[in-house]
Amino acid sequence: MSAAGAVWAPAATTVDLVLVPAGADTFSPADEHLPLVPDADRPGWWVPSAPVPGGWADRRYGFSVDGGPPRPDPRSPRQPAGVHGPSQAVDTSAFAWTDQAWPGRLVEGAVLYELHVGTFTPGGTLDSAIERLGHLRDLGVDMVELMPVAAFDGEHGWGYDGVHLYAVHEPYGGPAALARFVDAAHAAGIAVALDVVYNHLGPSGAYVGVFGPYFTDRHHTPWGQGINVDGPGSTEVRRWVIDNALRWLRDFHIDALRLDAVHQIADDSPVHLLAELSSAVAELSSTIGRPLALIAESDANDPATVTPVAEGGLGMTAQWADDVHHAIHALLTGERQGYYADFGEVDVLARALTGAFVHDGGWSTFRGRPWGHPVPEHIDGHRFVVFSCDHDQVGNRALGDRPGSAAHEAGGRDLDLAAAAAALVLTSAFTPMLFMGEEWGASTPWLFFADFPDPDLARAVTHGRRAEFAAHGWATADVPDPQDPLTFERSRLDWSEPDDPRHAQLLSWHRRLVELRRTVPALSSGDRGTVRVHAGPGEGLLIVERGPVTVAVNLAPSAQRTPLPAGGDILASWGESTVADAVLTVPGRGVAVVG
């Protein structure tokens, strides 16, 4: 970690530390400039030659490179006035922690719950999210996964346009609020994972390029230049990323990091950045004495992502497996557009539930080429995080609709599908994840929203979003404007819904499935070899076997029957299922778990 008032600016001729008066939200010509000197021990670093006047506690500051305008610290711990204003020092050792007895929690096999701080509660803050931890505990959540909290421009957004990786978005409550949330979650027995973005920075407020070669033209991403992790100057850029990860885990007691779209981190180095990060996190875990984890989102469908570094892999603890979502969604809904083209059949679902990847080296119609690699049998299923909906799979739909959103119009049909999807995910051999509100079939949409103050950027986002949906066949007139404040407000959860009888029934269903996952050994296992998937004897009947446990999903409107050679009792039922004379009867749109 850098010393107070120090900054890396390898090409600079002069660097000034700009000291801003307490409480000032902007830089001013009257600010005090303190010339920095080169650090004799670290090439490219600049440090104060004497103690900072007035001390460093809560100091607001910035840096001026070669006489240029003051800019925030590339490692800014807080941006109290937004991403363009002064940075502020934060003493993380002053946080009032009470979780000294927290033993940590393994990701593998845990029940994860993804939430967006701004729309999870009416308050939209980390402190207001604390008030709902009891709900998550009662649901059986083991680990809550926070969508990115790194500071971004504007009041609200998904968080993937962060520009200050070390700062907590101020409207969420800032760094102290994140510490309070983690401490409260641990008190409730819930671990915390944090979504971090190391593949790009947002389009507004990213000033790191003023200081050094943080970006490179050697690699490009969908968002522009790649992060420079393998070119000249990349040693310090890699350190910037790794130190950031370690800071969340060490100083904020975070238990796991979810790494966004790691396939967009281009690295031609002998040791990939992720492998180096994995080793650094393993060392920190050993030092502090509790498990720490890295969860990768990757589109590569490559088991090397979770292969240990010592065996030539990237060393991630777990990775998301989108193919499982696609297989479940396409089968239950009948959608086949876009990347669902190769999904929707029972045998495809079987491949997903046993192998994690459907595209494991064969042809991908959506990509127009062979894709992926098979998962070796020895890799435990718990190394793959699966879900029936997440922020992408809901928010990247034109209307942000999700299971449960059309419940009233469709006579409960969508909640039936949500119940079926929950059974397939929560009884799988993988590590399951729920998306906020999914557990009761939230009818509120979750849309793409942004709040860029720059009018040109705002218009570009609106037009770009509509063009993207038009390419996928959605009528652009129906696409909500991401910049409209109502788009954000509509995406907030409605916490009165769990009290509605139909939604309460789905919530109870989720709680029961989570309970079975914990108490039935066959469902607690990550052994993919025990999974058998096939169509039942009746129309629309899907059978998933996990050793002695049978999960029967009836997609047909009428009751269906299937023999149970081994007999068994009904452990959970969506609808009135029965077992008689070794025959299971599942009502129309029903689900039964028998064991």
Side-chain angles (χ1 to χ4, degrees), residues 387-403:
F387 39 84
S388 65
C389 59
D390 71 337
H391 74 273
D392 274 330
Q393 303 304 335
V394 176
N396 283 327
R397 296 174 67 81
L399 302 181
D401 53 313
R402 49 163 148 187

Side-chain angles (χ1 to χ4, degrees), residues 497-517:
E497 284 191 330
D499 296 327
D500 177 89
R502 181 73 170 162
H503 290 285
Q505 181 186 6
L506 187 62
L507 177 57
S508 295
W509 174 245
H510 279 81
R511 286 174 175 166
R512 178 57 177 161
L513 291 173
V514 172
E515 180 185 17
L516 290 176
R517 186 174 182 88

